[in-house]
Amino acid sequence: MDAPHTPKRDFYLTSSFIVLTPPEGEIDDDGHWKKSFANPEMRKMLWAQRIIEAEKSKAVKANLPLPPLPEEDFEFYLNMGTNGFHFNQWNVDADTLEKLHDHGFMSFNYARNFYFFAPKKPDGSVDILGCVDVIRKRFLNRKAPFLLCAGLESLCNFAGAYYPFKEERPKDRKHAYELYFKFFLNHCVMLKEYYEYCRIHNIGISELQVMFGHNQQWHHYCAEWGAQTLFSEGNADLCNDQLRTCMIRGAARQYNRKWFLYWSSWGGVDKHLTSFDENGHLHTGISTSLSLRQWIGSFYSGCDYCGGTECPQTQMMYYDKKGKRQISEFGRNLKKFSDFVFKRHPKRGTPYVPVAVMLDYYHGWCVMDHRVWGGALPYTRNEEMIQNFFDAAFPGNRQYIDSCSFLPARNEESILPWRSQEEMWELERNGKIDHKLYEKGNRTDSTWGDSFDTLLTNCPLEVLKTYPALLLLGRIDLDDELRGKLRQYVESGGILIANSIHVSPEDAEFLGVEFTGKRDLLWEVKCHECGGVCRDMTTEFDLVKPGNADVMMKSIGGWRFGYPDAKRVPGYDGADPVITVNKIGKGKVIFCTVPYMQTEPGSAMHPAFQDLITHVMEEVMPIELKGPSIEYMVNRTETGWIVTLLHNGPDYWKGKSPETWQGEIIFKKEFLSGNPERLTELWSDTELMAEKTGKGLKLKMEVSAFEFKIVELSE
């Protein structure tokens, strides 16, 4: 059998591999399997799947070969357009795996779920190292990747939890890291066995192509501890998509790793598995429009692997009133997306990510909640500074977690059309819930675009140089090595943004200021770049005198140092500097004197800092976007640029209704290398017309709610 398409080696779209056709004689008299698809009640579908898995389990426990995958199911997966799959020990046999790999499919297992690869030991226990050996010899040298997974579920449970510190409470962040590392190596499912296998065979763990990680913030550590592919799961009440991408893509670039964005079939406002009724209408779970936007976002964010579907028997298909299998809207979208990325427009370019966010190596900040190292250490203004920045960059990014609450006490105070789980399920059964209205926050608007990666302080200089700007956030202990690295970064042309909490008087020459050792309250803050004024008489800031540095923002009304001595400094008239700019070599250091860039503990990011980031983005971004807030990302191609606009809908919780986004994309002339020849909306293959202006090329655009547009500029 020929493969229906030629897989592209730089991107894999995966599906879980589950038996779709029930084996004869394995269903009970009530026919739960058949009812599961004709009846929208999810428990019946799950019951049917348990019947199948129970029979498979008997075969595994008896050390018998699994029955081969039905040919009907094999052809179904091939024709859906994916080129990767996720298997476990209950749903596929080794011969089927080889058959799929022969068709160019990559594969990955879920933790220990590969026991069928090797016989058991004489005592009846599973020969795990024997399984690893069979996989290594049989699959790891094939053209398509085979990723050995470790600890997906254990990281989900432990990454942000208190478990590593039950026996010993950490003294500080470094000690917390050491305790967690020790715990991780002993509790991460399969990782300990992989290390043991490598020790016995005298090989590096990189030869096993191990993948681990999850929804939390430890991807940089996972890369150090052996992961060749980093894994991050979305939906299922987990972290905002854009914030997860910042963390995992930054780790992948810092450590030169592959990375995987996996989309759970569970989630949405009802916390259920995506499923369709007998009429093909979405019944439970995540909307088809969100899934499609997630795939598009994954592709253009640069990931190597995208987990398209986790539960194909409910996501990709349904059974109509006659009991006939039909492809669902989800399945049709998956096929359209597959055709788009593998056939129509496979050249996505490279994500243009101009700003790196640097955190301390031992930061311990938990992405999803207000905890440091699982709550073992106090949550301080250092962590608030990190969270405040991401809240400003991706407003409403924590809203998705809040929206997944059924609690009547909460809903009495909200505008949800139900007050209990039972009421919600009743509305679902009657088709009266539009799921996509409640999904804002899973993906949200991006104030400055999806333009950030997260790095740690041990990041190599050569990686730092690939980012035009570098922003220090949270507690960072500057030592001589890091100081030297940051200076070289600036001298080579980088823009470094530092805060008063990061520096000391010994950094005065680097910053171009003189420290006074005093603090006072801000007056009005005026921006020298745009003339904007922020009224403020409650925020403390550090008093400094500018030396070689220019003044970008100042506190109006506080002429403490005398006009005659100050007039020689551009933009400085004796008023207290709030933000200064010191040029060094080809780059510059931007210094902010408001500690943590917030007024007081618990407050949001100071408006002056948000204004600063806006000005930096204006300098480093190749486009200017005019119009209401919307998510967008930029890719650099060999012949031009790609701009992706994702309309994630209105903020339902503020009572807003869906509206079409109307705005402009301006391709800046200084980022255009030649004469623009063609503008195309790629999803619809529609030619676009733009207007030449003094700034560059201006394109008017509209994007309907819950839809997207992909604009390619070819030069």
Side-chain angles (χ1 to χ4, degrees):
M1 184 186 303
D2 294 330
H5 66 270
T6 302
K8 304 299 179 182
R9 299 302 172 189
D10 65 339
F11 183 73
Y12 287 89
L13 176 64
T14 74
S15 167
S16 290
F17 210 75
I18 296 176
V19 176
L20 304 173
T21 304
E24 295 295 331
E26 293 189 8
I27 307 302
D28 64 12
D29 294 337
D30 292 332
H32 284 290
W33 177 273
K34 294 179 181 178
K35 287 184 179 180
S36 66
F37 293 103
N39 190 317
E41 295 290 341
M42 294 303 300
R43 62 179 182 274
K44 294 183 179 180
M45 184 284 297
L46 295 173
W47 173 248
Q49 185 66 20
R50 291 193 186 101
I51 294 172
I52 301 298
E53 294 183 353
E55 295 302 316
K56 298 269 185 174
S57 177
K58 293 178 183 177
V60 172
K61 291 179 179 179
N63 204 25
L64 298 174
L66 295 179
L69 188 74
E71 191 68 21
E72 177 185 356
D73 290 358
F74 190 83
E75 292 186 18
F76 178 85
Y77 283 107
L78 289 182
N79 291 327
M80 287 309 297
T82 57
N83 63 348
F85 61 95
H86 162 196
F87 70 90
N88 63 44
Q89 68 192 65
W90 315 123
N91 58 23
V92 69
D93 60 292
D95 290 338
T96 297
L97 286 182
E98 283 205 341
K99 189 176 179 181
L100 284 162
H101 272 266
D102 288 341
H103 280 73
F105 279 61
M106 62 78 65
S107 61
F108 67 103
N109 67 297
Y110 195 81
R112 290 195 176 100
N113 293 324
F114 50 42
Y115 292 166
F116 53 80
F117 278 102
K120 294 182 179 180
K121 296 178 181 179
D123 63 1
S125 62
V126 176
D127 184 3
I128 296 178
L129 299 186
C131 294
V132 176
D133 196 52
V134 171
I135 289 173
R136 179 189 173 203
K137 294 175 179 177
R138 192 170 177 178
F139 288 98
L140 293 190
N141 292 323
R142 289 175 173 263
K143 291 187 295 183
F146 185 110
L147 307 179
L148 276 172
C149 291
L152 300 188
E153 68 271 46
S154 65
L155 274 185
C156 181
N157 294 332
F158 299 137
Y162 192 79
Y163 296 109
F165 315 113
K166 281 187 174 181
E167 296 181 1
E168 183 178 359
R169 190 173 182 84
K171 298 186 291 290
D172 52 34
R173 294 182 301 167
K174 182 179 180 181
H175 188 213
Y177 166 87
E178 293 168 349
L179 293 175
Y180 187 84
F181 178 49
K182 179 180 178 181
F183 177 88
F184 180 87
L185 290 183
N186 287 284
H187 292 83
C188 180
V189 177
M190 287 304 302
L191 187 59
K192 187 176 181 180
E193 289 85 348
Y194 294 153
Y195 272 116
E196 176 64 13
Y197 177 88
C198 292
R199 184 192 65 79
I200 293 173
H201 293 271
N202 194 30
I203 61 173
I205 195 169
S206 62
E207 293 192 31
L208 294 185
Q209 293 300 309
V210 177
M211 175 175 74
F212 55 92
H214 207 270
N215 58 292
Q216 285 284 2
Q217 68 276 14
W218 313 124
H219 294 109
H220 298 80
Y221 302 147
C222 291
E224 287 193 3
W225 299 342
Q228 296 303 300
T229 298
L230 306 176
F231 179 96
S232 182
E233 182 173 359
N235 299 330
D237 298 4
L238 300 175
C239 184
N240 165 266
D241 295 348
Q242 294 128 294
L243 191 47
R244 291 190 307 116
T245 300
C246 287
M247 302 299 289
I248 190 172
R249 183 173 58 198
R253 290 185 66 176
Q254 177 172 338
Y255 290 91
N256 191 25
R257 296 292 192 266
K258 302 283 189 180
W259 54 293
F260 195 136
L261 288 179
Y262 181 84
W263 304 105
S264 173
S265 58
W266 295 89
V269 72
D270 60 1
K271 293 187 176 181
H272 248 303
L273 196 66
T274 297
S275 68
F276 298 84
D277 64 22
E278 58 189 11
N279 296 311
H281 299 144
L282 181 70
H283 176 58
T284 57
I286 297 161
S287 72
T288 55
S289 69
L290 175 59
S291 295
L292 184 53
R293 277 178 279 126
Q294 288 175 327
W295 301 332
I296 291 292
S298 298
F299 182 64
Y300 285 108
S301 67
C303 71
D304 301 280
Y305 306 97
C306 171
T309 171
E310 181 183 50
C311 191
Q313 75 271 39
T314 67
Q315 290 177 296
M316 292 201 296
M317 62 190 217
Y318 67 96
Y319 279 73
D320 61 21
K321 295 178 180 180
K322 296 181 179 180
K324 185 178 179 181
R325 179 193 292 176
Q326 302 290 347
I327 304 300
S328 68
E329 183 181 7
F330 180 100
R332 294 192 296 272
N333 282 350
L334 186 70
K335 187 65 171 67
K336 290 178 183 177
F337 176 71
S338 171
D339 290 342
F340 180 81
V341 300
F342 294 132
K343 296 179 180 179
R344 293 171 52 208
H345 298 289
K347 295 182 179 180
R348 55 180 167 170
T350 302
Y352 184 79
V353 185
V355 181
V357 173
M358 178 174 279
L359 306 182
D360 186 75
Y361 183 79
Y362 301 111
H363 64 91
W365 172 65
C366 294
V367 176
M368 288 178 59
D369 50 36
H370 291 84
R371 294 191 295 179
V372 181
W373 286 108
L377 294 173
Y379 190 88
T380 69
R381 294 184 72 181
N382 291 293
E383 289 70 44
E384 286 182 355
M385 185 184 189
I386 301 171
Q387 186 67 60
N388 281 343
F389 171 76
F390 284 116
D391 285 349
F394 307 116
N397 68 81
R398 287 181 284 180
Q399 180 174 287
Y400 169 66
I401 305 300
D402 295 336
S403 69
C404 292
S405 173
F406 301 126
L407 299 177
R410 170 181 167 76
N411 289 340
E412 290 295 341
E413 302 171 0
S414 75
I415 58 175
L416 291 172
W418 60 83
R419 293 294 178 267
S420 67
Q421 259 187 340
E422 290 71 21
E423 285 187 25
M424 183 198 64
W425 285 338
E426 180 65 25
L427 290 172
E428 281 191 325
R429 280 192 290 270
N430 294 323
K432 294 183 178 180
I433 290 183
D434 188 354
H435 293 74
K436 63 179 178 290
L437 290 176
Y438 310 100
E439 294 169 336
K440 185 69 175 284
N442 194 317
R443 297 195 79 89
T444 189
D445 303 332
S446 44
T447 305
W448 304 292
D450 295 0
S451 308
F452 307 95
D453 284 344
T454 303
L455 309 175
L456 301 186
T457 46
N458 65 329
C459 182
L461 176 61
E462 292 308 310
V463 176
L464 291 181
K465 288 181 179 180
T466 63
Y467 295 90
L470 177 63
L471 170 62
L472 307 185
L473 288 181
R475 174 182 169 182
I476 292 179
D477 299 320
L478 290 181
D479 54 22
D480 291 342
E481 180 181 358
L482 183 54
R483 281 189 172 92
K485 183 164 57 177
L486 295 179
R487 177 177 283 274
Q488 291 181 67
Y489 168 76
V490 173
E491 290 175 344
S492 67
I495 302 172
L496 175 65
I497 305 170
N499 186 260
S500 59
I501 69 166
H502 299 131
V503 297
S504 63
E506 67 179 288
D507 299 302
E509 180 270 333
F510 182 52
L511 301 173
V513 301
E514 177 186 337
F515 287 86
T516 68
K518 299 178 182 178
R519 283 188 177 180
D520 210 323
L521 295 179
L522 281 176
W523 295 59
E524 292 179 333
V525 179
K526 182 175 182 179
C527 178
H528 181 64
E529 292 287 318
C530 63
V533 174
C534 169
R535 297 185 181 278
D536 188 330
M537 298 187 67
T538 59
T539 302
E540 277 195 335
F541 73 118
D542 292 296
L543 297 177
V544 299
K545 295 180 181 180
N548 294 324
D550 297 340
V551 177
M552 181 179 178
M553 296 188 193
K554 61 187 179 183
S555 177
I556 302 174
W559 287 273
R560 304 176 195 281
F561 308 120
Y563 181 74
D565 293 335
K567 63 182 179 180
R568 61 182 175 79
V569 181
Y572 181 57
D573 56 4
D576 300 327
V578 177
I579 295 177
T580 62
V581 181
N582 190 33
K583 296 178 181 178
I584 299 178
K586 298 178 181 179
K588 55 189 174 184
V589 183
I590 300 176
F591 176 51
C592 313
T593 63
V594 177
Y596 307 99
M597 286 315 303
Q598 65 176 170
T599 298
E600 59 186 3
S603 64
M605 191 170 80
H606 195 281
F609 190 55
Q610 186 156 337
D611 189 43
L612 165 64
I613 299 300
T614 296
H615 288 310
V616 171
M617 298 307 291
E618 289 171 349
E619 182 175 348
V620 300
M621 285 295 285
I623 70 165
E624 179 182 350
L625 200 67
K626 291 188 174 181
S629 184
I630 192 172
E631 180 186 359
Y632 67 99
M633 54 185 67
V634 180
N635 290 58
R636 187 70 165 112
T637 69
E638 294 180 359
T639 59
W641 299 91
I642 293 177
V643 178
T644 305
L645 303 175
L646 300 162
H647 191 331
N648 297 310
D651 190 341
Y652 177 85
W653 309 99
K654 294 182 180 179
K656 294 185 178 181
S657 301
E659 295 180 350
T660 296
W661 182 88
Q662 295 178 318
E664 297 174 350
I665 303 173
I666 299 176
F667 294 90
K668 298 178 182 177
K669 61 182 180 181
E670 57 267 33
F671 286 87
L672 299 179
S673 57
N675 294 320
E677 293 184 352
R678 187 173 64 255
L679 273 168
T680 310
E681 199 292 306
L682 297 181
W683 187 255
S684 62
D685 283 321
T686 303
E687 293 294 317
L688 303 172
M689 297 295 293
E691 174 188 353
K692 288 186 178 180
T693 68
K695 289 186 176 181
L697 205 61
K698 182 172 72 173
L699 176 67
K700 293 184 178 181
M701 292 294 298
E702 291 187 356
V703 186
S704 300
F706 312 109
E707 300 292 335
F708 58 88
K709 293 288 179 67
I710 306 165
V711 177
E712 181 179 42
L713 169 66
S714 299
E715 299 182 77

